[in-house]
Amino acid sequence: MSRLKRWLNMYKKKVNQNGDFKEEYIQELRSDSFDEDYIAEYALKFKKEYEQLKHLDQTDPEPWPIYTAYDFFTPSEKQQFSPDGSLRAEYVESTLRSGISEGWLEEMERRKKLEVDNYNKVSARYAEQGINFGEQEMNRIRASSITYVERRKQMEVDLLNCEPADSLPFDKDTPF
């Protein structure tokens, strides 16, 4: 969502929504024997960072691509289901003619609607924390779709760069 929201979430134990230190955190610093000048300077540093991020969010907001659950449907699911998870009328008609039971179609629709609802809930919860869940999922899918050949080529580069063996996609003794 925004840089500021992520920053506030990261430091939620230290600062309030205005970027000021919470009284509990100030007391914790005092109990750890930090002097008042240090605490004030430290608080000022946080407040400046808060103001910078707030300004950045207002003047140069980060892109926030919107992905819906429908973006993650397979091509065949897109033929079967509407974006809300309900079955398309033409699909229902054709499958009923082919002998599929109405009960099974209702169950398919119930499951897909649940899937869409869960995606929306998780996406909203992540957005509250300043995380774009849809974008993360899309990046994960793109990364996992890298082909074997691409991974093998990358591993050759990684080996030349002396990357640690546990970070390689295959055993380093794998013949190419």
Side-chain angles (χ1 to χ4, degrees), residues 3 51-62:
R3 296 170 188 97
E51 293 297 333
Q52 287 173 336
L53 291 172
K54 183 177 176 183
H55 177 73
L56 259 178
D57 283 346
Q58 292 169 348
T59 59
D60 185 23
E62 290 181 312

Side-chain angles (χ1 to χ4, degrees), residues 2-67:
S2 73
R3 296 170 188 97
L4 182 59
K5 203 166 200 174
R6 280 195 308 278
W7 184 85
L8 286 169
N9 191 52
M10 186 168 42
Y11 293 113
K12 63 186 168 197
K13 292 181 180 178
K14 293 182 180 183
V15 298
N16 60 27
Q17 293 297 310
N18 298 326
D20 297 320
F21 274 168
K22 290 181 176 179
E23 190 57 40
E24 310 89 66
Y25 185 65
I26 293 171
Q27 293 304 325
E28 185 181 321
L29 290 172
R30 287 180 181 143
S31 71
D32 288 341
S33 303
F34 288 100
D35 65 37
E36 294 301 317
D37 289 338
Y38 173 81
I39 294 171
E41 187 178 311
Y42 192 42
L44 183 62
K45 175 186 163 230
F46 269 77
K47 187 66 173 186
K48 282 182 180 177
E49 191 171 352
Y50 169 89
E51 293 297 333
Q52 287 173 336
L53 291 172
K54 183 177 176 183
H55 177 73
L56 259 178
D57 283 346
Q58 292 169 348
T59 59
D60 185 23
E62 290 181 312
W64 188 271
I66 304 294
Y67 292 99

Side-chain angles (χ1 to χ4, degrees), residues 56-115:
L56 259 178
D57 283 346
Q58 292 169 348
T59 59
D60 185 23
E62 290 181 312
W64 188 271
I66 304 294
Y67 292 99
T68 66
Y70 189 73
D71 294 316
F72 299 96
F73 286 11
T74 65
S76 64
E77 287 174 328
K78 287 181 179 182
Q79 291 177 342
Q80 298 168 351
F81 298 98
S82 298
D84 69 350
S86 61
L87 284 168
R88 295 186 183 276
E90 57 274 8
Y91 177 76
V92 172
E93 289 173 23
S94 71
T95 54
L96 285 175
R97 281 195 301 266
S98 70
I100 302 288
S101 76
E102 195 171 322
W104 173 243
L105 291 175
E106 289 170 358
E107 179 62 16
M108 282 176 61
E109 183 175 79
R110 185 189 72 77
R111 289 179 183 184
K112 187 53 81 174
K113 283 185 172 183
L114 253 173
E115 187 180 309

